[in-house]
Amino acid sequence: ARQKLLSLAMKLEDPNYPLLGPTVKGLYLFGLWQTGSKLRTVTYNMAHFWTIIFTITEFMDIYTVRHDLNKVMNNLSKTVVTVICNVKAISYINRQKEWRQLVTEISQEEIMQLNKEDTIIPKQMNAYKKYTRIVTYLYWMLVFNTNLLLIISPALKYASSSSYREEIRRGKEPLPQIVCSWFPFDNTKMPGYVWGVCFHVVIGSFGCGVLAVYDMNAVAIMSYLKGQMRILNGKCRCIFHGVVSQEVVLERIKECHRHHAVLLKHFKIFNALLSPTMHLYVLVCSCSIFSSVIQFNLLFLFCWHGNEVAIEVKLFCDFLP
């Protein structure tokens, strides 16, 4: 199994993208890096369109249960994830040209530095590359396991409680859902239930993939900026180290200036691409936190007053002879 995982990891590497190889292939797999045929691009754009439709149906379902605050809060906590997925996908596709430019320039800079006759820089680059790979693969595994748990959660709920199964058999409880969304058919009974579950599995898995590759692409670029700043710091410290001639010093100063200008350019492009998405990300996450706080407060109130009743009952029993 270990050899298979290592073999899979090696297949994700790309000499044209020393650091960003796995993330570029991930972006391509989930339709964000649109460099294939026109048919492939149209197909993936249709998939992104259906995720938007799915998000709308989630809000429609929230509206139908608007009188039940617990259901609203529970549904909203899942709906915000699909909203974030749509925002990231749309922003990446709409600014495809800028993202490609950034990834290409980052890779060209890394290849140029790897080709230089320097033994220290490749080691420093390998250090942040190794760190990025570990974070990327662990995060992808976390997203995969989370999505798998979400998919099988209805089956677990159904299997864990005999009373719940009996309620479903009597028609008093609906069949368990992966997520809550509106359908133009009755998805609480067969065969609509099967179609609804299949739709949730496909759309949910696709959305999780989009989130995973987008996030790790951003993290990888931030690791690049951090690692290259360390390399630039080392270059600046060695400007006058082992000075042979004035020309050598001038060349080192020019290289430090060039390297700094490149990193500054990459930072500005990356910041311009990521800032709008992160702004919306913060707003959406704030809504999610707000719904969680409301649910927590409701639980706290029930527990608090239930405990007060229990105390009074105990005092009353102690008072009796």
Side-chain angles (χ1 to χ4, degrees):
R2 181 182 178 185
Q3 291 297 326
K4 289 182 179 180
L5 289 174
L6 291 174
S7 176
L8 177 61
M10 291 304 298
K11 289 181 181 179
L12 294 175
E13 298 293 336
D14 190 336
N16 295 320
Y17 305 99
L19 175 66
L20 301 175
T23 55
V24 168
K25 290 187 177 181
L27 291 167
Y28 180 80
L29 177 63
F30 288 97
L32 298 181
W33 190 269
Q34 300 182 343
T35 57
S37 64
K38 186 174 182 180
L39 176 61
R40 185 181 187 278
T41 300
V42 171
T43 302
Y44 269 106
N45 285 341
M46 285 298 298
H48 293 304
F49 172 75
W50 276 108
T51 60
I52 296 174
I53 297 297
F54 173 66
T55 305
I56 295 173
T57 63
E58 285 185 299
F59 280 108
M60 292 172 66
D61 184 78
I62 290 174
Y63 179 78
T64 60
V65 298
R66 62 189 182 277
H67 300 298
D68 190 331
L69 185 58
N70 285 329
K71 287 185 178 180
V72 170
M73 294 296 104
N74 183 57
N75 294 1
L76 186 62
S77 64
K78 297 177 181 178
T79 303
V80 294
V81 178
T82 57
V83 172
I84 293 170
C85 173
N86 288 324
V87 169
K88 290 181 177 180
I90 293 171
S91 66
Y92 198 100
I93 293 172
N94 286 342
R95 307 194 69 177
Q96 182 87 189
K97 184 178 179 181
E98 292 92 332
W99 278 110
R100 288 189 197 174
Q101 177 191 351
L102 179 60
V103 170
T104 301
E105 290 188 6
I106 286 174
S107 301
Q108 289 174 349
E109 177 66 24
E110 289 190 314
I111 292 172
M112 183 192 69
Q113 295 199 34
L114 288 172
N115 292 333
K116 289 184 177 180
E117 296 180 359
D118 193 310
T119 58
I120 299 177
I121 292 179
K123 292 181 180 179
Q124 293 175 310
M125 292 177 63
N126 187 63
Y128 72 73
K129 176 181 175 181
K130 183 178 179 180
Y131 168 80
T132 304
R133 291 291 184 272
I134 293 173
V135 174
T136 298
Y137 295 145
L138 286 178
Y139 182 75
W140 284 354
M141 289 176 61
L142 176 64
V143 172
F144 174 81
N145 291 330
T146 302
N147 182 57
L148 180 62
L149 183 62
L150 180 65
I151 290 173
I152 66 175
S153 59
L156 294 176
K157 183 179 180 181
Y158 184 83
S160 62
S161 175
S162 59
S163 60
Y164 179 65
R165 293 195 298 271
E166 182 64 22
E167 292 294 319
I168 292 176
R169 190 183 66 81
R170 293 179 179 179
K172 295 182 178 180
E173 287 287 343
L175 289 166
Q177 302 287 331
I178 297 176
V179 292
C180 296
S181 64
W182 177 86
F183 286 100
F185 52 84
D186 188 0
N187 67 313
T188 62
K189 299 178 182 178
M190 297 294 183
Y193 177 76
V194 175
W195 289 107
V197 167
C198 291
F199 183 76
H200 286 164
V201 169
V202 173
I203 292 294
S205 300
F206 182 74
C208 285
V210 170
L211 288 175
V213 296
Y214 182 98
D215 290 348
M216 285 303 100
N217 180 63
V219 169
I221 293 175
M222 286 188 279
S223 296
Y224 158 81
L225 292 171
K226 176 185 175 181
Q228 289 294 323
M229 284 302 299
R230 285 185 174 180
I231 292 173
L232 177 59
N233 186 22
K235 287 181 179 179
C236 293
R237 291 176 181 273
C238 295
I239 288 178
F240 299 102
H241 180 71
V243 176
V244 185
S245 63
Q246 183 178 356
E247 288 75 14
V248 173
V249 174
L250 290 175
E251 286 298 322
R252 291 177 180 176
I253 293 174
K254 288 179 181 178
E255 170 59 20
C256 289
H257 178 268
R258 184 205 66 80
H259 196 180
H260 179 265
V262 167
L263 293 181
L264 190 61
K265 178 184 178 183
H266 292 169
F267 168 77
K268 288 181 177 180
I269 295 174
F270 180 66
N271 186 58
L273 290 171
L274 199 64
S275 290
T277 304
M278 292 305 298
H279 178 69
L280 292 174
Y281 203 167
V282 170
L283 291 178
V284 173
C285 287
S286 299
C287 294
S288 179
I289 294 172
F290 175 71
S291 64
S292 299
V293 169
I294 291 177
Q295 289 177 303
F296 177 76
N297 284 337
L298 290 174
L299 178 63
F300 173 77
L301 290 173
F302 279 111
C303 293
W304 174 272
H305 289 90
N307 182 65
E308 291 292 310
V309 173
I311 291 174
E312 291 299 325
V313 171
K314 187 176 183 303
L315 291 174
F316 177 74
C317 292
D318 292 341
F319 174 75
L320 294 176

